């Protein structure tokens, strides 16, 4: 980003909750993190993603809000995260926020794309209207906002792919419940 362009920041949160599904995904993918969320808020008080609609029911998923103090992340309080900061233009930031607001206030039913997740495990895509899995949703937001580094993402997106995008930086690693904007000012160890 050029210094004369007014910018904003988005935060992509990669996480490992320890749920049965997340542990299975970790075994299968050999990746540290297997869930992704996005937040326009530096304090991460609200994250947006596709996942469990109820912390106690893994079989019903869709578009959801998440946070350290409620839902699945509260239930699984030892959730480990990597917080990635992405600098964007005001217009790109507003586009992401507008898309999230539209989805929150829409009559459209959004569901979890379980078939897409299964297909992705085998290197294939499966698109279903208004259905996403977590990293597919975050990638859609970035692409729709025309954020250039999102172009480096493939057709199949895994949470770890966000950490490998150009122009992003990790600002925190640790337990989600211990995150604060001040903790992101200190380099974290892996």
């Amino acid at each position: 980003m050029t210094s004369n362009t007014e910018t904003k920041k988005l935060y992509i949160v990669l996480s490992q909750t320890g749920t049965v599904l997340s542990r299975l995904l970790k075994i299968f993918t050999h990746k540290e993190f297997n869930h992704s969320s996005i937040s326009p808020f530096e304090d991460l008080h609200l994250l947006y993603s596709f996942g469990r609609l109820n912390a106690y029911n893994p079989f019903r998923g869709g578009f959801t809000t998440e946070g350290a103090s409620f839902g699945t992340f509260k239930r699984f309080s030892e959730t480990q995260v990597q917080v990635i900061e992405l600098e964007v233009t005001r217009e790109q930031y507003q586009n992401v926020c507008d898309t999230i607001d539209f989805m929150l206030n829409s009559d459209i039913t959004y569901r979890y794309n379980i078939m897409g997740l299964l297909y992705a495990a085998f290197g294939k895509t499966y698109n279903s209207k208004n259905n996403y899995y977590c990293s597919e949703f975050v990638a859609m937001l970035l692409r729709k906002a025309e954020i250039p580094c999102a172009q480096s993402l493939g057709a199949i997106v895994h949470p770890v792919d966000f950490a490998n995008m150009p122009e992003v930086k990790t600002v925190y690693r640790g337990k989600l419940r211990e995150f604060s904007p001040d903790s992101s000012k200190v380099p974290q160890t892996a």
Side-chain angles (χ1 to χ4, degrees):
M1 298 261 140
T2 59
S3 59
N4 62 356
T5 303
E6 194 171 349
T7 62
K8 300 280 281 176
K9 293 179 181 171
L10 293 170
Y11 299 89
I12 299 171
V13 179
L14 311 182
S15 58
Q16 171 62 22
T17 58
T19 64
V20 172
L21 179 59
S22 70
R23 288 192 311 255
L24 286 171
L25 287 170
K26 188 173 184 176
I27 290 168
F28 186 76
T29 65
H30 306 289
K31 303 296 182 195
E32 182 178 7
F33 301 105
N34 51 55
H35 180 67
S36 55
S37 312
I38 191 166
S39 181
F41 308 109
E42 183 182 24
D43 66 0
L44 305 181
H45 71 278
L46 275 180
L47 303 161
Y48 302 95
S49 190
F50 272 70
R52 290 177 183 216
L53 294 175
N54 179 302
Y56 294 92
N57 183 352
F59 302 107
R60 190 165 171 260
F63 180 51
T64 188
T65 54
E66 303 172 323
S69 62
F70 63 94
T72 302
F73 290 142
K74 180 179 180 182
R75 180 170 179 225
F76 296 93
S77 62
E78 297 298 305
T79 296
Q80 294 290 316
V81 298
Q82 177 178 351
V83 180
I84 300 163
E85 183 180 85
L86 174 59
E87 196 170 327
V88 297
T89 67
R90 265 193 186 282
E91 183 180 349
Q92 291 165 336
Y93 178 90
Q94 193 59 53
N95 189 304
V96 168
C97 291
D98 289 347
T99 301
I100 290 169
D101 285 343
F102 174 81
M103 292 175 75
L104 286 169
N105 298 307
S106 175
D107 290 338
I108 298 170
T109 301
Y110 295 96
R111 290 197 169 85
Y112 193 83
N113 188 4
I114 189 69
M115 291 302 293
L117 184 65
L118 294 173
Y119 272 63
F122 295 101
K124 300 193 181 299
T125 59
Y126 180 90
N127 298 316
S128 181
K129 188 175 180 181
N130 300 323
N131 296 344
Y132 300 93
Y133 54 87
C134 62
S135 52
E136 185 179 40
F137 163 70
V138 174
M140 177 277 291
L141 287 176
L142 300 180
R143 288 178 177 137
K144 186 171 183 189
E146 298 180 358
I147 298 171
C149 64
Q151 303 315 312
S152 68
L153 299 170
I156 299 169
V157 183
H158 303 282
V160 69
D161 296 339
F162 298 113
N164 297 324
M165 292 187 308
E167 300 180 18
V168 299
K169 70 176 182 176
T170 295
V171 294
Y172 177 79
R173 288 178 70 90
K175 292 180 183 173
L176 177 60
R177 66 182 165 89
E178 294 175 358
F179 175 82
S180 73
D182 291 336
S183 67
S184 70
K185 308 291 188 258
V186 179
Q188 303 296 311
T189 57

